[in-house]
Amino acid sequence: ESAIESLAENLNDSLVAPLFWFVLLGLPGAALYRFANTADAMWGYPGPYAGRDWRWAGKWAAHADDVLSWLPARLSAALLIAVATLRRHAAARALRVEAGRTPSPNSGWPMAAMALVLDLRLAKPGVYALHADGQPAGEGDIGRAAALGGRAVLAAAALAVLALGAA
């Protein structure tokens, strides 16, 4: 489950969102997004470090990442559903509800899309369960998730090329 969730979330954080911001604002846009996303990963968890309270940095980083990831996370989910070979309509109908089960305003979107189109239950115990009626994830499902993610990467790249060519 964790590997599949990580793949889905990182599809957005490491590829779709940077491409999105690159298409809109060029290299500075992609760099700004990657800075905010990396800062969230490093500082997004409040707490003391070296005798200082870094809560302000964590809150800034988390909010910046939330704002910059809002649309790309939904685009990532849409790409996963669009390139799926099965369960596309059911996934599209259930996506909003399932994505809202995670505490993050953004990471739930690609993770829920992945869970829905692969018909898998993905959960973080005590926090959320995505597509709770789905099958338990097994070792073979990582390959299916990787293949789906690969198709989404190709679709994202094609969209970026088309958008840049149209500009």
Side-chain angles (χ1 to χ4, degrees):
E1 287 179 47
S2 296
I4 295 168
E5 289 174 3
S6 183
L7 188 150
E9 186 174 1
N10 282 294
L11 171 69
N12 178 66
D13 292 352
S14 298
L15 186 99
V16 174
L19 266 178
F20 175 84
W21 288 107
F22 179 80
V23 167
L24 284 183
L25 301 173
L27 191 55
L32 173 67
Y33 172 77
R34 285 305 309 145
F35 174 76
N37 184 256
T38 302
D40 180 34
M42 294 174 61
W43 304 329
Y45 303 96
Y49 176 74
R52 298 177 108 170
D53 185 1
W54 289 90
R55 197 172 332 201
W56 64 271
K59 287 181 180 181
W60 173 88
H63 289 306
D65 182 57
D66 287 348
V67 168
L68 294 172
S69 294
W70 193 89
L71 189 56
R74 285 141 183 86
L75 178 58
S76 296
L79 286 169
L80 287 167
I81 291 171
V83 301
T85 55
L86 300 171
R87 301 183 44 81
R88 288 173 30 185
H89 298 292
R93 284 192 308 270
L95 181 61
R96 180 182 303 269
V97 170
E98 292 299 319
R101 297 187 193 286
T102 66
S104 167
N106 298 316
S107 67
W109 287 84
M111 291 190 309
M114 186 76 77
L116 288 162
V117 297
L118 295 178
D119 193 23
L120 298 175
R121 178 184 192 276
L122 300 177
K124 185 174 186 177
V127 182
Y128 61 81
L130 300 172
H131 190 43
D133 294 335
Q135 301 298 313
E139 187 176 315
D141 294 317
I142 293 173
R144 291 191 320 131
L148 180 64
R151 291 193 305 271
V153 166
L154 292 175
L159 286 175
V161 167
L162 287 172
L164 289 170

